[in-house]
């Protein structure tokens, strides 16, 4: 009796058995198969058990090998587990297509392996297709068989993929709602281009319903954002405008603007339907609309349809009616907690801008609070940084914006990176020079200008006043950062632009910054290389870390595959090259010394044959010119010889020298070549010597130009004669030496 009771207890405490093939399949997920981690654990009742649980159960039973009773008990338990495994196998086989799925999983274990020959994979795929052809719909909705179909789509031939896609025709909408079947639809969209229109056509009339489904919404989003063309996108969007657009599909789908142009009387009905759809997603407050760009566009369409709010508009009450008296304020209440999740897309960033415009000061503070800790990521995003531009354009509390929000960009772990990043730097440039199309993309400027009407009603301060207050607060921080990271900023394209504009428009003492810039131009190429090598010659001793080494090697391989080097990557400026040789730094130095380009207003007012009037030279640019000229003059002969004799990387260096020689600031030319009395004797002989060795026009290039001119072909100079073409091909150092000689 004691043995029977003990046996009964063991049966209760024993873990649930599992089929060995299923355990192996579940624990080794194919990297190519798209299965969420949360979903991978929901495989149904009594379908599997982790091997760790089995090992733990066996480990708890300490068996004394010298005790015969204990050995017999262990044998009984092992037999019980084998019996349970057999029962589970029989139970699974008894299910519909159970034996077929068992065979498919065995083939799948071979097909999914990465290190097998293509011939073996093709052989197993042919065997698998022979088993599932005609039965694909029957096995697809099973969680384990769905993985097999995914691998068949991934590793199969185009013909085999067509067979699978053809058999699933008519079931795509149902599959999209399946927890595991939705991945098959994604595979078909990715790997069967011919069937994409068919998949999208099956979604017609059900888009609004599918978008409310947890799994199907991701399939709709993938089809909309990655595979649909403009007309197909309009077809998907139409169904949110009203039931008639879902039931009666036109031959050619139209955009919302086209629909309203043809039927302006439907505007209010469309606005109502869109508002109800948005409210159903957002009123509960638990929906995550971040991944769904189709909803971002829908919200943007709704906000653009709203009338301009009045200056005295009031916020709606908590029990907002179906048609709120102030739709703008109603949308602010719905979206103010979701902006941080949607501003990474172009439509989402415009939604965030419009919400900031329509929000009250209290709501704006709430939105700024939600951005806290994420300002660095937002500023470095392609579309997210435009939200910060609007933030600086509409929020009247400049102290809050500058000290609480923007200050976060320049106090993080790497503060200099914000000024070197191609997107974050535009926020600084916007504050310094406003809506300059030289630094901002045209469509960004157009969008900011299009919202000026709303901005005048919702903000009190003028744009210039608001920007000047922010610049006054942040200028000390900017000047300190530019002085500390002057070398990195000079060698970065975006950082150089920020450096030039801060030098011209920032408020405060710029002496330290000017000295830092001029000190970088000291020395020669050899001395700079010696300093750079000595700085990196004695690295700190670190304990060997295998994982860290492998991660570093993988990162280097990735950079090599992307063909990125330190010069092309704005986050990694090349500090090994001298600033008078580096291409980005020479361009920046030339801009500083010359004072920048001719202003657009001056260039547009010039008459025929009259030179454009240059903007007044900023005193800081003149100070930089004098400081740089004073430093370079100590090694001027070296740099002239370098530019004259070296065939590589000389144009940028000579442009800096030429900008110093032609500077409008008084004293720069004298600081470079000395006073008029002493420079002739010192440089006449050197100029004559270097003029003979300076690179002019190679004979082969001159001969080629003569042949083209004789043959009547169009040349790069736009039909100029040979003499002018040859003169244009002279090296910059030759032009500089001629000007230097003429000034004696």
């Amino acid at each position: 009796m004691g043995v029977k009771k003990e046996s009964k207890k063991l049966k209760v405490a024993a873990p649930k058995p599992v089929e060995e093939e299923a355990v192996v399949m579940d624990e080794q997920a194919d990297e190519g198969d798209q299965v969420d981690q949360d979903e991978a654990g929901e495989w149904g009742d009594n379908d599997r058990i982790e091997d760790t649980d089995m090992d733990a159960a066996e480990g708890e039973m300490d068996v004394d090998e010298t005790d015969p009773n204990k050995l017999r008990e262990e044998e009984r338990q092992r037999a019980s587990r084998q019996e349970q495994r057999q029962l589970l196998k029989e139970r699974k086989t008894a299910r519909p297509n159970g034996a077929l799925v068992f065979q498919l999983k065995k083939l799948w274990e071979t097909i999914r392996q990465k290190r097998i020959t293509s011939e073996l994979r093709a052989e197993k795929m042919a065997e698998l297709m022979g088993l599932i052809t005609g039965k694909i719909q029957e096995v697809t909705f099973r969680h384990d068989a769905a993985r097999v179909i995914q691998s068949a789509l991934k590793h199969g031939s185009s013909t085999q993929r067509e067979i699978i896609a053809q058999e699933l025709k008519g079931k795509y909408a149902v599959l999209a709602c399946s927890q595991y079947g939705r991945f098959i639809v994604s595979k078909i969209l990715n790997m069967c281009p011919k069937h994409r229109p068919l998949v999208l056509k099956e979604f017609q009339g059900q888009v609004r319903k599918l978008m409310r489904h947890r799994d199907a919404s991701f399939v709709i989003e993938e089809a909309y954002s990655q595979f649909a063309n403009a007309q197909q996108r309009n077809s998907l969007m139409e169904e949110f405008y009203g039931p008639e657009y879902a039931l009666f599909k036109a031959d050619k789908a139209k955009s919302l603007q086209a629909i309203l142009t043809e039927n302006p009387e439907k505007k209010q009905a469309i606005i109502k339907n869109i508002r109800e759809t948005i409210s159903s997603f957002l009123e509960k407050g638990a929906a995550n609309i971040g991944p769904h760009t189709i909803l971002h566009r829908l919200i943007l369409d709704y906000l653009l349809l709203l009338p301009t709010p009045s200056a005295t508009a009031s916020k709606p009450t908590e029990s907002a009616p179906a048609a709120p008296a102030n739709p703008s304020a109603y949308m602010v209440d719905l979206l103010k907690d979701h902006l941080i999740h949607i501003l990474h897309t172009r439509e989402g960033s415009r939604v965030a801008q419009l919400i900031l415009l329509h929000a009250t000061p209290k709501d704006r503070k709430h939105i700024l609070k939600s951005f806290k800790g994420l300002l660095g990521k937002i500023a470095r995003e392609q579309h997210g940084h435009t939200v910060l531009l609007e933030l600086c354009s509409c929020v009247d509390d400049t102290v809050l914006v500058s000290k609480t929000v923007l200050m976060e960009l320049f106090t993080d772990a790497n503060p200099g990176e914000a000024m070197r990043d191609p997107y974050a730097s535009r926020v600084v440039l916007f504050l310094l020079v406003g809506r300059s199309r030289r630094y901002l993309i045209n469509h960004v400027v157009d969008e900011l200008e299009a919202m000026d009407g709303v901005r005048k009603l919702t903000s009190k301060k003028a744009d210039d006043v608001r920007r000047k207050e922010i610049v006054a607060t942040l200028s000390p921080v900017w000047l300190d950062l530019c002085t500390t990271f002057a070398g990195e900023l000079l060698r970065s394209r975006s950082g150089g632009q920020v450096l030039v504009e801060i030098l011209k428009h920032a408020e405060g003492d710029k002496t330290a910054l000017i000295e830092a810039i001029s000190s970088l131009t000291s020395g020669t190429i050899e001395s700079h290389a010696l300093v750079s090598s000595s700085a990196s010659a004695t690295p700190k001793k670190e304990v060997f870390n295998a994982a860290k080494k492998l991660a570093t090697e993988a990162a280097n391989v990735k950079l090599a595959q992307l063909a990125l080097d330190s010069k092309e990557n704005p986050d990694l400026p090349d500090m090994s090259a001298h600033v008078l040789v580096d291409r980005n730094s020479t361009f920046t130095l030339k801009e500083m010394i010359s004072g920048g380009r001719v202003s657009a207003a001056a260039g547009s007012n010039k008459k025929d044959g009259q030179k454009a009037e240059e903007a007044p030279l900023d005193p800081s640019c003149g100070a930089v010119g004098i400081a740089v000229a004073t430093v370079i003059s100590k090694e001027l002969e070296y740099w002239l010889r370098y530019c004259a004799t070296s065939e590589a990387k000389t144009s940028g260096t000579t442009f800096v020298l030429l900008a110093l020689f032609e500077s409008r600031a008084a004293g720069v030319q004298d600081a470079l070549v000395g006073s008029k009395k002493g420079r002739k004797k010192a440089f006449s002989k050197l100029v004559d010597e270097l003029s003979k060795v300076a690179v002019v026009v190679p004979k082969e290039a001159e001969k080629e130009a003569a042949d083209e001119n004789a043959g009547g072909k169009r040349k790069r100079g736009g039909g100029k004669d040979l003499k002018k073409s040859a003169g244009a091909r002279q090296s910059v150092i030759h032009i500089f030496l001629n000007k230097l000689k003429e000034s004696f």
Side-chain angles (χ1 to χ4, degrees):
M1 292 297 291
V3 174
K4 289 184 179 180
K5 289 182 179 179
E6 187 177 357
S7 157
K8 185 175 181 181
K9 289 181 180 179
L10 287 172
K11 281 189 177 183
V12 174
K16 298 177 183 178
V18 67
E19 185 179 358
E20 294 181 359
E21 293 82 355
V23 173
V24 175
M25 182 193 68
D26 295 345
E27 291 183 346
Q28 301 175 351
D30 189 353
E31 295 180 0
D33 296 337
Q34 306 175 20
V35 178
D36 293 344
Q37 295 294 330
D38 295 335
E39 298 171 350
E42 302 174 4
W43 289 79
D45 297 336
N46 300 327
D47 274 2
R48 76 169 190 175
I49 185 174
E50 299 291 342
D51 282 347
T52 53
D53 296 340
M54 183 70 74
D55 294 339
E58 293 178 355
E60 293 176 358
M61 304 173 185
D62 296 330
V63 180
D64 187 359
E65 296 181 358
T66 60
D67 189 350
N69 294 329
K70 295 273 182 82
L71 291 174
R72 285 194 297 271
E73 183 63 30
E74 182 187 4
E75 289 295 333
R76 281 196 296 269
Q77 292 178 10
R78 186 179 294 109
S80 176
R81 289 194 296 270
Q82 293 293 341
E83 181 181 355
Q84 290 180 11
R85 286 192 178 98
Q86 185 63 29
L87 288 173
L88 178 60
K89 183 176 179 181
E90 293 176 359
R91 193 182 307 121
K92 287 189 173 184
T93 306
R95 294 177 182 174
N97 299 303
L100 174 61
V101 173
F102 182 77
Q103 292 178 320
L104 294 178
K105 287 192 290 186
K106 281 191 172 182
L107 293 172
W108 175 72
E109 281 297 331
T110 304
I111 293 171
R112 67 192 291 271
Q113 295 179 17
K114 295 181 178 179
R115 298 180 180 179
I116 64 171
T117 61
S118 55
E119 293 79 8
L120 178 59
R121 178 175 281 128
E123 178 184 345
K124 295 297 182 181
M125 272 299 306
E127 185 178 351
L128 186 144
M129 291 301 298
L131 292 173
I132 65 174
T133 301
K135 302 179 181 179
I136 295 177
Q137 288 192 14
E138 300 176 14
V139 300
T140 296
F141 291 94
R142 292 190 54 170
H143 62 81
D144 45 2
R147 303 282 297 279
V148 178
I149 303 299
Q150 289 180 56
S151 290
L153 287 167
K154 179 180 178 181
H155 300 294
S157 63
S158 58
T159 304
Q160 292 168 338
R161 292 171 183 168
E162 290 293 325
I163 293 174
I164 296 174
Q166 190 64 31
E167 285 201 29
L168 293 176
K169 185 178 179 181
K171 295 289 184 179
Y172 293 126
V174 181
L175 274 175
C177 298
S178 173
Q179 185 177 3
Y180 303 98
R182 72 180 179 95
F183 298 109
I184 296 177
V185 183
S186 297
K187 289 284 185 183
I188 292 175
L189 288 171
N190 275 279
M191 299 179 177
C192 303
K194 295 181 180 179
H195 287 264
R196 287 172 190 167
L198 300 177
V199 175
L200 293 171
K201 190 174 182 179
E202 290 192 21
F203 293 156
Q204 290 182 359
Q206 308 179 60
V207 175
R208 197 169 175 179
K209 173 186 174 183
L210 294 174
M211 280 301 300
R212 290 193 179 93
H213 195 277
R214 185 191 66 175
D215 299 310
S217 60
F218 291 98
V219 180
I220 298 295
E221 169 58 29
E222 186 177 6
Y224 173 83
S225 60
Q226 298 185 29
F227 304 109
N229 55 34
Q231 186 174 348
Q232 290 168 340
R233 288 186 178 188
N234 290 334
S235 178
L236 294 173
M237 292 296 302
E238 275 184 344
E239 301 191 18
F240 296 107
Y241 304 152
E244 59 181 294
Y245 299 102
L247 297 175
F248 307 103
K249 286 289 184 180
D251 296 336
K252 185 177 180 180
K254 301 175 183 177
S255 63
L256 179 59
Q257 291 74 16
I259 293 174
L260 293 178
T261 302
E262 295 181 0
N263 305 290
E265 69 279 359
K266 295 183 179 180
K267 181 177 180 179
Q268 294 303 321
I270 290 175
I271 290 177
K272 178 183 176 182
N273 286 306
I274 296 178
R275 181 176 60 247
E276 291 176 353
T277 302
I278 297 173
S279 300
S280 65
F281 278 100
L282 298 178
E283 275 186 335
K284 295 182 179 180
N288 181 16
I289 62 173
H292 303 301
T293 57
I294 187 172
L295 292 180
H296 303 176
R297 177 179 169 183
L298 183 67
I299 297 171
L300 178 61
D301 288 342
Y302 178 76
L303 291 175
L304 293 177
L305 288 177
L306 295 180
T308 303
S310 61
T312 59
S314 58
K315 291 182 62 177
T317 59
E318 294 183 359
S319 57
N326 190 347
S328 302
Y330 180 62
M331 291 304 298
V332 170
D333 285 341
L334 286 180
L335 290 167
K336 62 184 179 182
D337 293 324
H338 297 274
L339 298 184
I340 192 64
H341 304 294
I342 67 175
L343 50 76
H344 60 280
T345 65
R346 182 172 179 181
E347 293 84 358
S349 64
R350 288 208 64 195
V351 168
Q353 293 179 55
L354 291 169
I355 292 299
L356 280 170
L357 276 179
H358 292 285
T360 61
K362 182 178 179 181
D363 289 329
R364 287 173 180 171
K365 289 183 179 179
H366 179 85
I367 294 171
L368 295 184
K369 187 177 179 181
S370 67
F371 289 171
K372 191 174 182 180
L374 300 171
L375 265 298
K377 293 182 178 180
I378 296 173
R380 293 175 179 86
E381 286 185 351
Q382 179 183 3
H383 304 292
H385 79 278
T386 60
V387 180
L388 298 185
L389 301 184
E390 184 58 45
L391 187 68
C392 299
S393 300
C394 69
V395 179
D396 292 327
D397 191 348
T398 55
V399 176
L400 175 66
V401 173
S402 56
K403 291 188 176 181
T404 307
V405 181
L406 296 180
M407 192 68 73
E408 183 181 326
L409 294 177
F410 313 108
T411 56
D412 57 2
N414 191 0
E417 186 179 354
M419 294 187 173
R420 290 186 282 106
D421 186 82
Y423 298 116
S425 61
R426 295 177 187 176
V427 179
V428 182
L429 292 170
F430 173 78
L431 292 172
L432 292 169
V433 297
R435 301 173 188 174
S436 173
R437 295 184 184 268
R438 180 183 178 185
Y439 300 124
L440 300 180
I441 303 175
N442 286 332
H443 77 80
V444 173
V445 178
D446 294 338
E447 291 171 0
L448 291 173
E449 292 177 350
M451 293 182 283
D452 283 341
V454 181
R455 193 176 294 108
K456 290 179 181 178
L457 297 176
T458 57
S459 301
K460 297 179 181 179
K461 292 183 180 179
D463 290 343
D464 294 340
V465 175
R466 189 185 296 106
R467 286 193 297 104
K468 287 180 180 179
E469 291 178 358
I470 297 176
V471 170
T473 305
L474 295 177
S475 286
V477 180
W478 288 345
L479 291 173
D480 184 51
L481 287 176
C482 290
T483 304
T484 305
F485 300 99
E488 296 180 9
L489 296 177
L490 267 178
R491 293 174 173 87
S492 169
R493 183 63 180 272
S494 301
Q497 294 172 345
V498 171
L499 199 58
V500 171
E501 300 301 338
I502 283 180
L503 192 67
K504 294 164 62 176
H505 298 97
E507 299 180 6
D509 186 10
K510 304 171 186 174
T511 305
L513 176 58
I514 294 172
E515 291 177 356
I517 294 172
S518 61
S519 64
L520 293 171
T521 62
S522 63
T524 62
I525 298 175
E526 291 76 15
S527 63
H528 177 77
L530 184 62
V531 173
S532 300
S533 60
S534 61
S536 59
T538 57
K540 296 181 180 179
K541 293 184 179 180
E542 296 182 359
V543 179
F544 176 76
N545 189 323
K548 186 176 180 180
K549 182 180 179 181
L550 290 174
T552 304
E553 292 176 354
N556 293 336
V557 171
K558 185 176 181 180
L559 288 176
Q561 291 174 348
L562 295 174
L564 293 175
D565 59 16
S566 58
K567 289 186 178 181
E568 294 175 351
N569 191 342
D571 296 333
L572 301 173
D574 185 6
M575 302 296 291
S576 62
H578 196 283
V579 293
L580 292 179
V581 176
D582 184 81
R583 190 173 186 85
N584 288 327
S585 60
T586 53
F587 179 83
T588 303
L589 286 171
K590 175 182 174 295
E591 289 285 301
M592 285 182 184
I593 297 165
S594 62
R597 300 179 182 178
V598 178
S599 63
S604 60
N605 294 331
K606 68 178 181 179
K607 299 179 181 179
D608 296 338
Q610 182 182 2
K611 292 184 178 180
E613 296 180 1
E614 295 179 328
L617 184 66
D618 190 271
S620 299
C621 295
V624 169
I626 294 175
V628 172
T630 303
V631 175
I632 292 180
S633 63
K634 301 175 183 179
E635 304 290 346
L636 182 59
E637 182 178 347
Y638 168 86
W639 289 113
L640 289 176
R641 289 186 181 277
Y642 169 76
C643 295
T645 57
S646 177
E647 296 182 359
K649 298 182 179 179
T650 59
S651 60
T653 308
T654 315
F655 275 127
V656 175
L657 298 177
L658 193 60
L660 289 170
F661 188 77
E662 297 178 342
S663 175
R664 292 175 287 162
V668 177
Q669 188 177 122
D670 291 341
L672 180 66
V673 296
S675 62
K676 292 183 178 180
K677 294 181 180 180
R679 67 184 180 184
K680 181 176 181 179
K681 184 178 179 180
F683 283 99
S684 294
K685 186 177 179 181
L686 178 63
V687 169
D688 291 338
E689 176 188 349
L690 296 180
S691 297
K692 297 177 182 179
V693 298
V695 180
V696 192
V697 182
K699 293 183 178 180
E700 295 78 5
E702 187 174 356
K703 182 179 179 182
E704 180 183 351
D707 294 340
E708 290 182 358
N709 191 43
K713 297 180 180 179
R714 183 176 179 85
K715 297 171 286 301
R716 293 182 64 184
K720 298 179 181 178
D721 56 15
L722 176 61
K723 184 177 180 181
K724 291 183 179 179
S725 178
R729 295 189 185 188
Q730 290 182 347
S731 63
V732 184
I733 183 59
H734 196 87
I735 299 173
F736 174 69
L737 291 173
N738 288 338
K739 289 192 175 185
L740 189 62
K741 188 174 182 180
E742 291 173 359
S743 67
F744 293 157

